[in-house]
Amino acid sequence: MEATHLLPTRNLCSTSCWPNQRLVAPWRRRSSSSSSSIVVSVLTPPADNRIALTDGSSLRPPEVSLGDYSDSWFDRIAINHLSQSVQAATGLRNSKSGYDSLVEAATAASKSFGPSKQRELVIQALEKAFPRPILSLIKTLLPQSKFAREYFAVFTTLFFAWLVGPCEVRESEINGRREKNVVHINKCRFLEKTNCVGLCSNLCKVPSQTFIKESLGMSVNMVPNFEDMSCEMIFGQDPPALMDDPAFKQPCYKLCKAKQRHNTKCPT
């Protein structure tokens, strides 16, 4: 099936007139072949972030080459730390290094556990990766507010590009006013590397939303676009229930690397 994200005319993913205020981490570089092939076809998602599913075969991966990521020493430390945390939580070790190790850890978890267990284990891994005292302090100092939502958006673009790829802050309307509370991920590194809708939904989207809400007190809705592999993180917006979430009604790519079924039947 093909997914089309329906967007308002005002200016993505399953994921203009957005202010073009880039906060992409300066050390991130993408190859010219990759950057030129990114599909920029969607912008502000509608309030209900609905994906229209049309008849046809399952999604095909975008015809783009893998991004050229030149990880810094900080990036490599962060990637290794998260990978080790996932491996410790699942009990499934691997001998790979760098981002490949993280992808292997996630893929092994998807093949060994059911969807609900996958989400539970990733939350445990995130709790291992981030010190609870620091998270509790942030939660106390930054209660739900316009400042907190915009702070989390900026912080994500600056310090988590190693995980999701280059991203930028964009605006949306919340409580009747415009705020810079959206992180637009140009092309998700994790989805690009795993090439699997199920891994995106169960080992990234849902656990991240739950962890951020429970640990930091901040609602966030992650809206992936499985056509161009972009994504938006909307801080201050509650995600839909799993049964209503378009991401869980989406079949996987024909060339899915994990070959792991999720809520919607994948091609064999």
Side-chain angles (χ1 to χ4, degrees), residues 158-232:
L158 293 178
F159 293 102
F160 286 93
W162 56 269
L163 178 60
V164 298
C167 43
E168 63 185 1
V169 173
R170 291 185 174 181
E171 282 188 342
S172 75
E173 185 171 305
I174 185 168
N175 298 328
R177 60 182 180 181
R178 306 294 295 179
E179 293 184 8
K180 297 177 181 178
N181 65 315
V182 178
V183 174
H184 178 82
I185 302 166
N186 301 326
K187 187 161 182 282
C188 179
R189 184 179 188 180
F190 184 74
L191 180 56
E192 178 185 37
K193 291 290 187 179
T194 60
N195 206 37
C196 177
V197 170
L199 265 70
C200 167
S201 300
N202 293 312
L203 287 116
C204 179
K205 172 181 163 60
V206 174
S208 297
Q209 291 172 168
T210 302
F211 176 76
I212 293 172
K213 175 65 174 180
E214 293 180 352
S215 299
L216 299 172
M218 176 59 65
S219 300
V220 61
N221 185 18
M222 297 179 68
V223 188
N225 182 334
F226 295 115
E227 286 197 337
D228 63 9
M229 292 188 174
S230 65
C231 185
E232 289 197 339

Side-chain angles (χ1 to χ4, degrees), residues 1 3 14-15 57-62 187-188 190-198 200 224-230 250-260 262 265-268:
M1 300 177 69
S14 99
T15 9
S57 60
S58 58
L59 284 175
R60 298 177 180 176
K187 187 161 182 282
C188 179
F190 184 74
L191 180 56
E192 178 185 37
K193 291 290 187 179
T194 60
N195 206 37
C196 177
V197 170
C200 167
N225 182 334
F226 295 115
E227 286 197 337
D228 63 9
M229 292 188 174
S230 65
Q250 178 61 57
C252 205
Y253 298 117
K254 287 183 176 180
L255 301 181
C256 171
K257 296 177 182 177
K259 299 297 181 184
Q260 176 69 20
H262 49 292
K265 185 177 180 180
C266 294
T268 56

Side-chain angles (χ1 to χ4, degrees), residues 2-17:
E2 291 184 350
T4 303
H5 196 79
L6 302 179
L7 300 166
T9 57
R10 187 169 58 186
N11 265 17
L12 131 128
C13 171
S14 99
T15 9
S16 28
C17 279

Side-chain angles (χ1 to χ4, degrees), residues 19-246:
N20 220 357
Q21 185 169 358
R22 286 189 173 272
L23 289 173
V24 179
W27 57 86
R28 287 281 170 214
R29 297 179 182 275
R30 295 179 65 89
S31 65
S32 58
S33 63
S34 175
S35 61
S36 63
S37 58
I38 294 177
V39 179
V40 182
S41 61
V42 289
L43 303 163
T44 312
D48 59 357
N49 298 301
R50 302 176 79 85
I51 297 175
L53 300 179
T54 59
D55 292 335
S57 60
S58 58
L59 284 175
R60 298 177 180 176
E63 298 296 329
V64 292
S65 58
L66 294 179
D68 180 16
Y69 297 95
S70 300
D71 294 317
S72 68
W73 64 269
F74 171 82
D75 299 335
R76 291 192 294 271
I77 291 175
I79 292 168
N80 181 68
H81 181 58
L82 182 56
S83 176
Q84 292 299 317
S85 296
V86 173
Q87 292 176 54
T90 62
L92 304 171
R93 297 290 182 176
N94 69 73
S95 59
K96 295 188 177 183
S97 61
Y99 207 87
D100 289 340
S101 176
L102 177 60
V103 170
E104 179 65 22
T107 303
S110 75
K111 292 180 177 180
S112 301
F113 306 101
S116 60
K117 187 63 174 179
Q118 293 171 32
R119 300 166 203 152
E120 177 186 330
L121 289 170
V122 173
I123 292 172
Q124 292 177 15
L126 293 173
E127 290 173 345
K128 290 177 180 291
F130 300 96
R132 183 169 293 277
I134 294 178
L135 297 176
S136 298
L137 179 61
I138 295 174
K139 184 176 182 179
T140 301
L141 295 177
L142 293 173
Q144 282 271 11
S145 65
K146 177 178 182 293
F147 173 80
R149 291 186 286 271
E150 294 188 337
Y151 175 86
F152 278 112
V154 172
F155 187 87
T156 299
T157 63
L158 293 178
F159 293 102
F160 286 93
W162 56 269
L163 178 60
V164 298
C167 43
E168 63 185 1
V169 173
R170 291 185 174 181
E171 282 188 342
S172 75
E173 185 171 305
I174 185 168
N175 298 328
R177 60 182 180 181
R178 306 294 295 179
E179 293 184 8
K180 297 177 181 178
N181 65 315
V182 178
V183 174
H184 178 82
I185 302 166
N186 301 326
K187 187 161 182 282
C188 179
R189 184 179 188 180
F190 184 74
L191 180 56
E192 178 185 37
K193 291 290 187 179
T194 60
N195 206 37
C196 177
V197 170
L199 265 70
C200 167
S201 300
N202 293 312
L203 287 116
C204 179
K205 172 181 163 60
V206 174
S208 297
Q209 291 172 168
T210 302
F211 176 76
I212 293 172
K213 175 65 174 180
E214 293 180 352
S215 299
L216 299 172
M218 176 59 65
S219 300
V220 61
N221 185 18
M222 297 179 68
V223 188
N225 182 334
F226 295 115
E227 286 197 337
D228 63 9
M229 292 188 174
S230 65
C231 185
E232 289 197 339
M233 299 178 65
I234 309 171
F235 288 100
Q237 183 180 93
D238 290 318
L242 294 187
M243 66 178 62
D244 300 322
D245 196 323

